[in-house]
Amino acid sequence: MKRRALALALPLAALLAACASLPADKQPLPGETLSGRLALRVDASGEEQPRSVVAGFELQGVAEAGRLNLSTPTGQVMAQARWQPGRVVLVTPQGETPYASLDALTREVLGESLPVAALFDWLHGRPWPGAGHVAQPPGFRQLGWAVDLARFADDTIVAVRESAPLVTVRVKLDRS
Protein backbone atom coordinates (compact mmCIF):
# COMPACT_ATOMS: atom_id res chain seq x y z
CA MET A 1 0.00 0.00 0.00
CA LYS A 2 2.87 2.41 0.65
CA ARG A 3 3.87 2.08 -3.01
CA ARG A 4 0.33 3.00 -4.07
CA ALA A 5 0.36 6.09 -1.83
CA LEU A 6 3.74 7.06 -3.23
CA ALA A 7 2.54 6.46 -6.78
CA LEU A 8 -0.44 8.72 -6.17
CA ALA A 9 1.64 11.40 -4.49
CA LEU A 10 4.34 11.58 -7.18
CA PRO A 11 2.23 13.14 -9.97
CA LEU A 12 0.92 15.72 -7.50
CA ALA A 13 4.38 16.47 -6.16
CA ALA A 14 5.71 16.92 -9.69
CA LEU A 15 2.79 19.17 -10.50
CA LEU A 16 3.34 21.36 -7.45
CA ALA A 17 7.12 21.43 -7.72
CA ALA A 18 7.14 22.68 -11.29
CA CYS A 19 9.45 25.68 -11.50
CA ALA A 20 8.28 27.08 -14.79
CA SER A 21 4.85 28.52 -15.32
CA LEU A 22 2.62 27.67 -18.26
CA PRO A 23 2.07 30.05 -21.14
CA ALA A 24 -1.33 31.70 -20.99
CA ASP A 25 -4.05 29.97 -23.01
CA LYS A 26 -6.00 32.87 -24.49
CA GLN A 27 -8.56 30.77 -26.36
CA PRO A 28 -11.97 32.25 -25.50
CA LEU A 29 -14.40 29.88 -23.82
CA PRO A 30 -18.17 30.07 -23.54
CA GLY A 31 -19.46 30.54 -20.02
CA GLU A 32 -17.86 32.33 -17.15
CA THR A 33 -14.70 32.60 -15.10
CA LEU A 34 -14.59 31.85 -11.38
CA SER A 35 -11.42 32.24 -9.34
CA GLY A 36 -10.19 32.01 -5.80
CA ARG A 37 -8.31 29.69 -3.49
CA LEU A 38 -8.83 25.96 -3.21
CA ALA A 39 -7.77 23.63 -0.42
CA LEU A 40 -8.19 19.90 -0.95
CA ARG A 41 -7.56 17.28 1.71
CA VAL A 42 -7.73 13.51 1.33
CA ASP A 43 -7.80 11.81 4.74
CA ALA A 44 -5.63 8.82 5.55
CA SER A 45 -7.08 5.49 4.52
CA GLY A 46 -5.59 2.14 5.47
CA GLU A 47 -1.84 2.49 5.04
CA GLU A 48 -2.14 5.58 2.83
CA GLN A 49 -1.07 8.86 4.36
CA PRO A 50 -3.27 11.96 4.19
CA ARG A 51 -2.67 14.25 1.22
CA SER A 52 -3.46 17.92 0.75
CA VAL A 53 -3.16 20.63 -1.86
CA VAL A 54 -3.61 24.38 -1.52
CA ALA A 55 -3.61 26.44 -4.69
CA GLY A 56 -5.09 29.40 -6.42
CA PHE A 57 -7.53 28.44 -9.14
CA GLU A 58 -9.31 29.85 -12.14
CA LEU A 59 -12.23 27.86 -13.53
CA GLN A 60 -13.39 28.92 -16.99
CA GLY A 61 -16.06 27.72 -19.38
CA VAL A 62 -18.92 25.34 -18.74
CA ALA A 63 -19.25 21.74 -17.57
CA GLU A 64 -18.94 20.41 -21.14
CA ALA A 65 -15.90 22.47 -22.22
CA GLY A 66 -13.59 24.37 -19.95
CA ARG A 67 -10.29 25.01 -18.33
CA LEU A 68 -9.09 24.80 -14.71
CA ASN A 69 -5.83 26.55 -13.85
CA LEU A 70 -4.03 25.78 -10.59
CA SER A 71 -1.48 28.36 -9.53
CA THR A 72 1.17 29.02 -6.90
CA PRO A 73 0.76 31.74 -4.25
CA THR A 74 2.76 34.04 -6.55
CA GLY A 75 0.27 33.51 -9.37
CA GLN A 76 2.29 31.23 -11.66
CA VAL A 77 0.07 28.67 -13.37
CA MET A 78 1.60 25.29 -12.52
CA ALA A 79 -1.02 23.07 -14.14
CA GLN A 80 -4.02 23.39 -16.38
CA ALA A 81 -6.80 20.92 -17.05
CA ARG A 82 -8.55 21.45 -20.39
CA TRP A 83 -11.60 19.59 -21.57
CA GLN A 84 -14.07 19.51 -24.42
CA PRO A 85 -16.18 16.70 -25.86
CA GLY A 86 -13.83 13.82 -26.70
CA ARG A 87 -10.67 15.46 -25.30
CA VAL A 88 -9.30 15.92 -21.77
CA VAL A 89 -5.68 16.95 -21.17
CA LEU A 90 -3.49 18.05 -18.30
CA VAL A 91 -0.93 20.66 -19.29
CA THR A 92 2.16 21.18 -17.12
CA PRO A 93 5.55 22.74 -17.87
CA GLN A 94 6.62 19.18 -18.82
CA GLY A 95 3.98 18.92 -21.58
CA GLU A 96 0.46 17.61 -22.23
CA THR A 97 -0.97 14.35 -20.91
CA PRO A 98 -4.29 13.08 -22.32
CA TYR A 99 -6.93 11.41 -20.12
CA ALA A 100 -10.11 9.50 -20.86
CA SER A 101 -12.20 11.85 -18.68
CA LEU A 102 -12.03 14.61 -16.09
CA ASP A 103 -12.71 11.96 -13.48
CA ALA A 104 -9.65 9.99 -14.63
CA LEU A 105 -7.51 13.15 -14.67
CA THR A 106 -8.38 14.19 -11.11
CA ARG A 107 -8.04 10.61 -9.84
CA GLU A 108 -4.54 10.33 -11.34
CA VAL A 109 -3.29 13.74 -10.22
CA LEU A 110 -4.97 14.01 -6.81
CA GLY A 111 -5.41 10.36 -5.95
CA GLU A 112 -9.20 10.79 -5.82
CA SER A 113 -11.76 11.94 -8.36
CA LEU A 114 -13.47 15.31 -8.07
CA PRO A 115 -16.75 16.29 -9.76
CA VAL A 116 -15.25 19.19 -11.77
CA ALA A 117 -18.33 19.52 -14.01
CA ALA A 118 -20.53 20.03 -10.93
CA LEU A 119 -18.21 22.71 -9.51
CA PHE A 120 -19.58 25.35 -11.89
CA ASP A 121 -22.97 25.09 -10.17
CA TRP A 122 -21.75 24.30 -6.67
CA LEU A 123 -19.67 27.50 -6.66
CA HIS A 124 -22.91 29.38 -7.34
CA GLY A 125 -24.55 27.69 -4.36
CA ARG A 126 -26.81 25.40 -6.36
CA PRO A 127 -26.93 21.71 -7.28
CA TRP A 128 -25.61 20.61 -10.67
CA PRO A 129 -28.52 19.84 -13.02
CA GLY A 130 -26.68 16.77 -14.37
CA ALA A 131 -27.53 14.60 -11.34
CA GLY A 132 -30.16 14.28 -8.65
CA HIS A 133 -29.70 15.96 -5.28
CA VAL A 134 -31.22 16.08 -1.81
CA ALA A 135 -31.62 19.33 0.11
CA GLN A 136 -29.69 19.31 3.37
CA PRO A 137 -29.77 22.82 4.84
CA PRO A 138 -27.61 24.80 4.75
CA GLY A 139 -26.70 23.04 1.51
CA PHE A 140 -27.39 19.81 -0.35
CA ARG A 141 -26.07 16.32 -1.10
CA GLN A 142 -25.15 15.34 -4.62
CA LEU A 143 -22.94 12.73 -6.29
CA GLY A 144 -21.91 11.34 -2.88
CA TRP A 145 -20.80 14.79 -1.64
CA ALA A 146 -22.27 17.01 1.07
CA VAL A 147 -22.05 20.61 -0.13
CA ASP A 148 -22.11 23.04 2.81
CA LEU A 149 -23.27 26.56 2.01
CA ALA A 150 -23.30 27.89 5.60
CA ARG A 151 -20.61 30.47 4.66
CA PHE A 152 -21.78 31.10 1.10
CA ALA A 153 -22.47 34.78 1.90
CA ASP A 154 -18.72 35.03 2.65
CA ASP A 155 -17.91 33.36 -0.72
CA THR A 156 -16.86 30.11 0.98
CA ILE A 157 -18.09 26.67 -0.06
CA VAL A 158 -17.11 23.37 1.55
CA ALA A 159 -17.79 20.02 -0.11
CA VAL A 160 -17.09 16.73 1.65
CA ARG A 161 -17.12 13.37 -0.11
CA GLU A 162 -18.71 11.03 2.34
CA SER A 163 -17.22 7.74 1.20
CA ALA A 164 -13.78 6.57 2.30
CA PRO A 165 -11.33 8.05 2.11
CA LEU A 166 -12.95 11.27 3.21
CA VAL A 167 -12.18 14.12 0.79
CA THR A 168 -12.74 17.77 1.75
CA VAL A 169 -12.66 20.62 -0.75
CA ARG A 170 -12.76 24.18 0.60
CA VAL A 171 -13.14 27.04 -1.84
CA LYS A 172 -12.87 30.76 -1.12
CA LEU A 173 -14.04 32.67 -4.17
CA ASP A 174 -12.63 36.00 -5.28
CA ARG A 175 -15.57 38.25 -6.10
CA SER A 176 -14.96 41.37 -8.13
Side-chain angles (χ1 to χ4, degrees), residues 32 34-35 57 118-127 137-140 147-159 171-175:
E32 64 182 323
L34 298 167
S35 63
F57 78 91
L119 285 178
F120 286 95
D121 289 285
W122 292 3
L123 296 178
H124 283 291
R126 63 183 181 239
F140 54 90
V147 180
D148 182 352
L149 302 173
R151 296 187 50 215
F152 187 70
D154 296 327
D155 299 320
T156 301
I157 297 98
V158 178
V171 174
K172 174 67 173 160
L173 291 169
D174 294 334
R175 299 280 186 190

Side-chain angles (χ1 to χ4, degrees), residues 131-147:
H133 72 281
V134 175
Q136 181 181 344
F140 54 90
R141 294 171 98 119
Q142 186 173 47
L143 301 169
W145 292 74
V147 180

Side-chain angles (χ1 to χ4, degrees), residues 30-160:
E32 64 182 323
T33 299
L34 298 167
S35 63
R37 290 174 307 284
L38 174 133
L40 176 128
R41 177 176 168 80
V42 180
D43 284 357
S45 176
E47 293 183 19
E48 292 187 27
Q49 297 297 310
R51 302 177 301 280
S52 63
V53 175
V54 177
F57 78 91
E58 185 176 76
L59 181 63
Q60 300 173 311
V62 293
E64 297 78 24
R67 180 171 42 236
L68 173 63
N69 294 334
L70 294 178
S71 59
T72 66
T74 60
Q76 290 182 310
V77 176
M78 58 188 165
Q80 182 179 82
R82 297 179 191 162
W83 63 95
Q84 61 189 14
R87 179 168 161 78
V88 176
V89 297
L90 177 67
V91 183
T92 66
Q94 290 74 38
E96 285 190 14
T97 306
Y99 289 89
S101 65
L102 275 172
D103 186 61
L105 184 152
T106 58
R107 191 177 322 108
E108 175 72 22
V109 173
L110 301 172
E112 298 296 330
S113 62
L114 295 179
V116 175
L119 285 178
F120 286 95
D121 289 285
W122 292 3
L123 296 178
H124 283 291
R126 63 183 181 239
W128 179 49
H133 72 281
V134 175
Q136 181 181 344
F140 54 90
R141 294 171 98 119
Q142 186 173 47
L143 301 169
W145 292 74
V147 180
D148 182 352
L149 302 173
R151 296 187 50 215
F152 187 70
D154 296 327
D155 299 320
T156 301
I157 297 98
V158 178
V160 178

